[in-house]
Amino acid sequence: MASNVSRERLMFYAAAGGLGGFGAWGASEPFAYINGKILGVSAVWYHDVILGALTGLFIAMFLASIEALSVSQWRQVLRGIRAGAIIGAIGGAVGLLVAEIAFDIVGGFIGRVLGWSVLGILVGLGVGWATRSMARLRNGAVGGLLGGAAGGMCYQVLTAAFPQAFGRAIALILIGALIGFFIGLVAELLKRGWLMVVRSQSRNAREGREYPLDKPVTSIGRAEESDIGLFGDQAVQTRHAVIRREGKNYFVSPAGGSEVIVNRQPIRGRQALKSGDRVEIGGTLFLFRERSQAAQG
């Protein structure tokens, strides 16, 4: 695996997705045993809609909010939960309806893979939508597709090999973990620029943490709405600095009269960044990296 791929981030996303899958199993299991017909419609269709909606809802909610939750950015947590719940639930329901239709037409294995792939795509879109980032929408859709397809294969095997309740539990946890893992992997492989914390006096920006610069404008400050929040450091202003991505280039600039230091020199106005630059904001020292240069290093 490429040296500039954060294994910690991959495990973080996989664990969040797995927890979402476990929550989905717990919420949906009571509906697994409905049978017969309801209002003239086979109970299988109701079960698929409920299972799909709850699976998409829980996995997307966990993945869309876990990063903000880890640093207590509560407004972003709520935004992630809201976006993930709505898009994930719709996507999950649609995905398993597609699976049931495909099951009748082409058989179980292909139908499961197709249906869970649709679910994965829409779960990934829910994760990306929460951040208002086109790059994360793309990463979420591609990663969700790959994770959903892999999860669909596992679902078919596990539910056939184990007792029903146990097989469904393991399968849904694995589907969530795979969707989370692949969303994280695609994001890591396609990231172009990022900041890595060298040292910090902020309570949440621990050493080694990486912040992808995947939005046209990335805000840095003490405000909870900041894309890169530096909480607890009184030397950091509410809105301290911004980094703009323009084509292949990145530019940092102070906001509101605050001080930003690049390579030990205070800057005035905006300054172009190159890989290896050291950016100081309050008590936090970042190392700026770009993919091409990081790969060469």
Side-chain angles (χ1 to χ4, degrees):
M1 191 173 291
S3 60
N4 54 345
V5 170
S6 171
R7 292 171 177 80
E8 181 183 10
R9 189 177 181 87
L10 298 186
M11 293 302 102
F12 189 68
Y13 268 83
L19 287 172
F22 179 74
W25 170 76
S28 65
E29 189 61 19
F31 300 97
Y33 304 99
I34 58 175
N35 50 46
K37 289 191 175 183
I38 302 174
L39 300 177
V41 178
S42 172
V44 170
W45 295 96
Y46 292 98
H47 173 257
D48 286 344
V49 170
I50 293 170
L51 174 62
L54 289 172
T55 300
L57 182 150
F58 274 90
I59 294 174
M61 280 199 311
F62 270 80
L63 291 174
S65 63
I66 192 66
E67 285 197 60
L69 184 64
S70 69
V71 292
S72 302
Q73 289 179 286
W74 300 112
R75 291 182 186 175
Q76 293 192 31
V77 168
L78 293 174
R79 187 170 68 188
I81 289 174
R82 183 170 60 248
I86 294 171
I87 300 178
I90 294 171
V94 170
L96 289 204
L97 285 176
V98 168
E100 193 60 43
I101 294 170
F103 183 90
D104 292 337
I105 297 173
V106 298
F109 184 78
I110 296 176
R112 296 297 185 204
V113 172
L114 180 60
W116 287 110
S117 296
V118 172
L119 180 145
I121 290 172
L122 292 174
V123 164
L125 289 174
V127 175
W129 183 258
T131 63
R132 306 294 194 270
S133 166
M134 291 303 297
R136 292 199 178 188
L137 278 170
R138 174 204 64 200
N139 298 342
V142 175
L145 168 64
L146 296 173
M153 298 178 193
C154 296
Y155 187 93
Q156 186 70 6
V157 172
L158 290 168
T159 52
F162 294 100
Q164 288 189 356
F166 181 73
R168 279 191 296 269
I170 299 301
L172 289 176
I173 292 170
L174 188 56
I175 284 172
L178 286 168
I179 290 175
F181 176 84
F182 277 102
I183 288 176
L185 180 61
V186 170
E188 286 294 301
L189 292 176
L190 296 183
K191 69 183 181 183
R192 289 184 39 223
W194 64 96
L195 294 177
M196 184 183 75
V197 177
V198 177
R199 55 172 168 76
S200 180
Q201 296 179 12
S202 171
R203 66 173 181 266
N204 61 294
R206 55 179 175 70
E207 181 181 342
R209 179 168 184 173
E210 294 181 356
Y211 293 92
L213 303 173
D214 51 14
K215 297 176 69 174
V217 179
T218 299
S219 61
I220 306 172
R222 210 170 68 238
E224 187 177 327
E225 296 81 6
S226 300
D227 297 306
I228 300 177
L230 300 175
F231 310 128
D233 184 351
Q234 297 304 311
V236 175
Q237 303 299 317
T238 302
R239 181 176 168 85
H240 197 106
V242 294
I243 295 180
R244 290 180 170 83
R245 190 187 71 226
E246 298 179 7
K248 296 182 179 180
N249 301 312
Y250 294 85
F251 299 87
V252 62
S253 57
S258 57
E259 182 179 67
V260 175
I261 300 173
V262 177
N263 298 328
R264 299 183 179 179
Q265 297 295 323
I267 64 171
R268 297 179 180 274
R270 69 182 211 156
Q271 165 128 358
L273 292 172
K274 61 183 184 299
S275 191
D277 281 349
R278 298 166 75 84
V279 181
E280 293 182 63
I281 295 176
T284 299
L285 173 63
F286 294 104
L287 181 67
F288 173 70
R289 302 301 301 273
E290 290 182 276
R291 168 162 296 281
S292 57
Q293 287 81 357
Q296 293 170 8

